[in-house]
Amino acid sequence: AQKITQTQPGMFVQEKEAVTLDCTYDTSDQSYGLFWYKQPSSGEMIFLIYQGSYDEQNATEGRYSLNFQKARKSANLVISASQLGDSAMYFCAMRGLNNAGNMLTFGGGTRLMVKP
Amino acid sequence: DVKVTQSSRYLVKRTGEKVFLECVQDMDHENMFWYRQDPGLGLRLIYFSYDVKMKEKGDIPEGYSVSREKKERFSLILESASTNQTSMYLCATSPPISNTEAFFGQGTRLTVV
């Protein structure tokens, strides 16, 4: 079974500052993938970034980076230079890569609020 | 672009009614998912299908069933709707390549009265 834990229900960050959203996971799979999604108030789910368990380097996509610590089973999302448009719900998710079904499990989410 | 379409954005049903939520995708993806989203609980997987007529229970299948007769369509069925099934329902799809993200529909906000 897979489990994702996001311990921060809500966070504030000042515009233009960096912020880290925490994500820890638990799985018995040897190979797995970790995903972050953004959900603005409109409700759509926007894919942000992916990290494979065997990737040696931390993933980066523009202002998003993933601080992947495999031994600690954590995959924290770092957003640099926060913008007002970053205010949204953020979800961490994982999928076992050896699972024929590729079931995708989500955490409870973190609501990020960017202050001007 | 992948398009995942859910049949309704908003739905109001009465307790005891049979409810069908439809999801259609146009990208020939094998995997399809149904989640419900509730505040503080994130997205919880109800059912998952990895092929036509194949289904797997997720974390909260009780009170729900699914149907996948065609590859592009995945239906969620509430046999007898109850007020505790009032929620946002999200459909998602992905190819079998596991390092690829899932694509979501716009969601259906279901209210059971």
Side-chain angles (χ1 to χ4, degrees):
Chain A
Q2 302 171 346
K3 185 174 181 181
I4 295 280
T5 302
Q6 295 180 252
T7 57
Q8 305 152 314
M11 287 190 70
F12 284 96
V13 64
Q14 198 68 40
E15 192 179 10
K16 300 181 184 177
E17 292 186 352
V19 63
T20 297
L21 306 184
D22 294 342
C23 172
T24 58
Y25 60 90
D26 194 18
T27 181
S28 56
D29 289 335
Q30 295 300 308
S31 297
Y32 49 88
L34 295 153
F35 303 80
W36 277 91
Y37 284 83
K38 172 184 178 181
Q39 187 183 44
S41 56
S42 58
E44 62 188 305
M45 292 288 284
I46 302 168
F47 165 71
L48 296 177
I49 195 166
Y50 166 83
Q51 178 85 43
S53 59
Y54 286 106
D55 292 342
E56 292 189 352
Q57 290 193 325
N58 286 342
T60 61
E61 287 286 347
R63 294 187 298 111
Y64 304 108
S65 60
L66 206 152
N67 184 1
F68 180 48
Q69 299 187 43
K70 192 172 182 178
R72 294 186 176 184
K73 294 189 175 181
S74 74
N76 298 338
L77 177 70
V78 181
I79 305 174
S80 63
S82 297
Q83 302 172 356
L84 295 178
D86 293 335
S87 294
M89 284 291 294
Y90 288 83
F91 292 99
C92 181
M94 76 174 299
R95 169 185 291 170
L97 299 182
N98 290 329
N99 182 332
N102 305 140
M103 205 168 287
L104 184 63
T105 303
F106 282 81
T110 295
R111 181 173 295 282
L112 178 66
M113 291 152 281
V114 180
K115 297 187 289 185
Chain B
D1 282 350
V2 175
K3 193 166 184 182
V4 183
T5 304
Q6 295 182 227
S7 52
S8 304
R9 188 68 193 257
Y10 299 95
L11 210 53
V12 180
K13 294 292 182 181
R14 295 195 179 277
T15 301
E17 275 193 82
K18 189 169 186 177
V19 181
F20 292 85
L21 302 183
E22 306 283 349
C23 178
V24 178
Q25 52 109 350
D26 66 357
M27 281 301 291
D28 203 35
H29 286 171
E30 282 76 4
N31 295 336
M32 296 189 77
F33 309 81
W34 273 108
Y35 295 91
R36 67 175 280 177
Q37 182 178 5
D38 301 288
L41 298 177
L43 277 72
R44 293 180 291 167
L45 183 65
I46 305 172
Y47 266 98
F48 162 60
S49 171
Y50 54 90
D51 204 347
V52 175
K53 297 189 186 296
M54 305 304 291
K55 62 184 179 184
E56 293 279 347
K57 292 181 180 179
D59 298 320
I60 51 165
E62 296 79 17
Y64 303 95
S65 62
V66 290
S67 172
R68 193 162 180 205
E69 297 297 318
K70 294 184 177 181
K71 191 174 185 179
E72 68 270 18
R73 186 180 298 269
F74 191 35
S75 303
L76 180 70
I77 304 157
L78 288 66
E79 295 289 341
S80 177
S82 64
T83 55
N84 63 11
Q85 293 178 309
T86 292
S87 186
M88 172 68 84
Y89 290 86
L90 290 166
C91 173
T93 178
S94 76
I97 304 168
S98 305
N99 61 355
T100 306
E101 73 268 25
F103 299 86
F104 284 81
Q106 77 276 29
T108 296
R109 183 163 295 280
L110 173 67
T111 302
V112 182
V113 297

